[in-house]
Amino acid sequence: MARRKGSCLYSPLILNSMSVVKSFAWRWLAVRSSLRGWLTKSLIFPLLLLSLSEMQAQFPTIPIVLQPGKVLGKAEYVVDYSYWSKPAAQSKDSVEDIIRLELGQTFVKSYSYKLWQADSALTHAPDKSARMRVPDEGMSPFWYYRDLTNGRTQVWYRTPLSGPILSYIDTPTFSWTITGSKKTISGYETQLATCVFRGRSYEAWFTPSIPISAGPSLFGGLPGLILELRSVDGTHHFTLDALQKRRVDIVEWKIRLVKTLSRPQFRNYYERLHRHPIQTLRSNGQRIYPQDDQGNFISDAEAVDWQIPYNPIELE
């Protein structure tokens, strides 16, 4: 069945915090394929206008006010990676994000730097109801807090729009094969390692010069920091953008209304969100009203085939 173009009206019922209520209630959100629209005030209805036909890359993640929580440890390095990913495996185009790594001897924190910038702009805005730019597309909604002493990783996922934040515990293991291939990246001598991880084959260039077993997102397991990582199928690629030796606190952000689940439960939700977005968002308590390109409301049956491209970094 051909995918029908259209849009849907969205009314947020589940919100991440009261700060989100103050910041996003009584606004219209016009989302284009580039996600570079503006948030503006409106006194009509507390609704968000979302075009699904123009937004096939991903749902936007709404900025929230960040509050500092407990200090997990000290970072010795701050590392930025350019992260290129394809929304769909067969897609010719990629979207770009910046993944920041706060790297310590015992804890590692990994998150989207672009999304953090949007959150910070809202957090420090004197008037949190003022207009603000929607961040660029391609931002990863995942945060990772990894304890290097036991491999335990706390994963946080920000559901689309103003849905709940989901959290689960993961303990990934990697079976790397270290090869004899070497190359220099930003002055660091690196060595090539390969592995199959959760349904994808990966190549990683790591440096023993920084002997901390970590990398972007949840990757690690090598005798040194990963400076470049790519999936062999070409759909995910991390390259080193900046590496600074800097001591900063690794802080766990304080978030209200977090829903805790298991990894299998999360994977089930994440796939349903992409295969059946309208039904899944409604299951969160969010009101979705599908419309066609002329602005006419359509039935759920007519919009049932709407999907979001599904190409997660973890296939299994």
Side-chain angles (χ1 to χ4, degrees):
M1 185 184 300
R3 183 173 301 158
R4 180 180 182 130
K5 292 185 177 181
S7 61
C8 65
L9 288 176
Y10 163 74
S11 177
L13 290 185
I14 298 181
L15 297 166
N16 296 330
S17 66
M18 286 306 296
S19 62
V20 179
V21 178
K22 295 176 182 177
S23 302
F24 293 99
W26 303 99
R27 297 186 185 182
W28 290 94
L29 174 60
V31 182
R32 295 294 181 259
S33 59
S34 64
L35 300 185
R36 292 185 176 89
W38 287 91
L39 291 174
T40 55
K41 293 182 182 179
S42 173
L43 297 178
I44 304 175
F45 296 102
L47 297 174
L48 300 176
L49 180 60
L50 178 66
S51 171
L52 291 179
S53 62
E54 295 178 319
M55 197 208 66
Q56 292 302 310
Q58 65 176 41
F59 274 116
T61 303
I62 300 297
I64 61 174
V65 171
L66 296 176
Q67 296 181 353
K70 63 181 179 181
V71 176
L72 301 176
K74 280 281 187 184
E76 298 182 2
Y77 296 88
V78 176
V79 188
D80 288 339
Y81 300 88
S82 292
Y83 172 37
W84 294 89
S85 62
K86 293 184 177 181
Q90 68 276 15
S91 175
K92 295 181 180 179
D93 299 321
S94 298
V95 292
E96 184 183 10
D97 195 6
I98 299 174
I99 299 300
R100 170 156 289 189
L101 198 67
E102 296 175 4
L103 180 64
Q105 291 290 340
T106 58
F107 266 97
V108 179
K109 176 180 173 181
S110 179
Y111 55 94
S112 166
Y113 182 63
K114 285 186 177 181
L115 185 53
W116 176 83
Q117 286 180 311
D119 292 336
S120 296
L122 177 62
T123 299
H124 298 291
D127 180 4
K128 291 182 172 52
S129 63
R131 58 188 282 182
M132 63 178 297
R133 179 178 283 280
V134 176
D136 293 341
E137 65 176 309
M139 298 179 305
S140 173
F142 289 90
W143 308 330
Y144 302 92
Y145 298 95
R146 186 158 71 256
D147 186 339
L148 296 179
T149 63
N150 56 22
R152 182 179 181 271
T153 302
Q154 182 90 35
V155 183
W156 301 68
Y157 172 73
R158 288 165 63 164
T159 54
L161 305 172
S162 54
I165 291 180
L166 307 181
S167 175
Y168 64 93
I169 298 296
D170 195 3
T171 311
T173 56
F174 303 88
S175 298
W176 293 102
T177 298
I178 299 177
T179 74
S181 299
K182 296 183 179 181
K183 72 175 181 178
T184 300
I185 299 176
S186 296
Y188 291 91
E189 183 176 282
T190 66
Q191 195 165 351
L192 176 65
T194 63
C195 81
V196 176
F197 177 68
R198 293 178 177 172
R200 291 191 193 275
S201 296
Y202 289 94
E203 295 178 346
W205 293 92
F206 71 97
T207 178
S209 301
I210 303 178
I212 303 177
S213 183
S217 298
L218 78 169
F219 287 90
L222 285 165
L225 176 65
I226 295 173
L227 299 188
E228 182 177 349
L229 176 77
R230 66 177 291 270
S231 61
V232 174
D233 62 10
T235 60
H236 297 272
H237 193 185
F238 300 85
T239 60
L240 181 66
D241 188 51
L243 194 161
Q244 302 177 47
K245 192 165 187 177
R246 178 156 49 111
R247 287 185 62 83
V248 296
D249 287 336
I250 300 176
V251 177
E252 182 180 51
W253 293 317
K254 187 187 300 182
I255 304 295
R256 296 180 59 196
L257 302 180
V258 174
K259 182 177 180 180
T260 302
L261 6 116
S262 65
R263 183 174 179 270
Q265 287 174 322
F266 171 77
R267 283 184 48 76
N268 177 268
Y269 169 86
Y270 193 61
E271 184 169 359
R272 282 191 292 109
L273 175 65
H274 289 76
R275 306 298 189 199
H276 309 287
I278 294 177
Q279 297 92 323
T280 304
L281 290 171
R282 282 180 175 166
S283 72
N284 288 342
Q286 295 162 303
R287 292 180 179 176
I288 300 293
Y289 301 98
Q291 293 179 304
D292 61 20
D293 286 338
Q294 288 69 47
N296 303 311
F297 289 104
I298 63 177
S299 68
D300 288 356
E302 292 176 290
V304 72
D305 62 325
W306 283 355
Q307 293 186 6
I308 308 170
Y310 182 68
N311 188 33
I313 198 167
E314 301 174 57
L315 290 174
E316 299 174 353

